[in-house]
Amino acid sequence: MIVATATAAGVRFGRVVLMARGAEGVANSVNFYQNALGLTVVRHTDDWAELACGIGGRDDQPSSSSSSIPQQASGAFRLTIRSVESEAQLSAGYAPILTFDVDDMDMTVARCAQMGGRLDGPIQVSAEVEMSILIDCN
């Protein structure tokens, strides 16, 4: 599910919502996105979590030492993980595809694998881009 929020200037990207099975699924997803990809946890309960990361270069990253991150942080990508029990909500048709730009592909893929992610095929390399498809721990 992708949520857009209206602003005075029109529409801006709001967040991506991932659905996970129960509290354990939420906790596992938070662990993966926080520790494998470095997203910052903004809020986390048994049924819901919100994580953030900057958009663009490293200067846009939210500071992990910050005591609070504004919900509408300018320039921040927000990932919400929501607990659900319905099989229909967990089916592939509801799963968004997330893309992240990383500085070191090999290190990021290795860290994701250590956190339970798995490659869906080989890392693809071309003159323009180096790309891997990872399936998260859920």
Side-chain angles (χ1 to χ4, degrees), residues 124-136:
Q124 301 169 26
V125 179
S126 70
E128 297 83 27
V129 67
E130 186 175 13
M131 181 176 75
S132 67
I133 299 172
L134 284 157
I135 299 171
D136 75 10

Side-chain angles (χ1 to χ4, degrees), residues 6-11:
T7 65
V11 176

Side-chain angles (χ1 to χ4, degrees), residues 4-135:
T5 307
T7 65
V11 176
R12 67 176 172 78
F13 182 79
R15 71 183 75 232
V16 170
V17 179
L18 293 180
M19 297 179 203
R21 185 178 305 281
E24 184 177 346
V26 172
N28 288 342
S29 293
V30 167
N31 185 44
F32 180 81
Y33 288 101
Q34 178 182 29
N35 295 310
L37 293 174
L39 274 66
T40 302
V41 176
V42 177
R43 292 183 184 88
H44 182 200
T45 69
D46 285 346
D47 297 324
W48 187 83
E50 182 177 341
L51 295 96
C53 74
I55 296 175
R58 288 184 220 180
D59 295 338
D60 292 338
Q61 284 282 17
S63 170
S64 60
S65 63
S66 173
S67 60
S68 74
I69 298 171
Q71 183 176 359
Q72 302 292 346
S74 176
F77 165 81
R78 290 179 293 146
L79 172 64
T80 297
I81 303 167
R82 185 179 136 211
S83 171
V84 296
E85 296 300 331
S86 166
E87 195 62 40
Q89 290 178 309
L90 295 168
S91 68
Y94 283 88
I97 296 173
L98 306 177
T99 62
F100 296 92
D101 295 330
V102 299
D103 293 330
D104 185 330
M105 176 70 74
D106 293 332
M107 182 180 72
T108 303
V109 167
R111 194 170 53 239
C112 288
Q114 289 173 344
M115 298 302 303
R118 56 185 162 72
L119 278 172
D120 185 22
I123 295 174
Q124 301 169 26
V125 179
S126 70
E128 297 83 27
V129 67
E130 186 175 13
M131 181 176 75
S132 67
I133 299 172
L134 284 157
I135 299 171

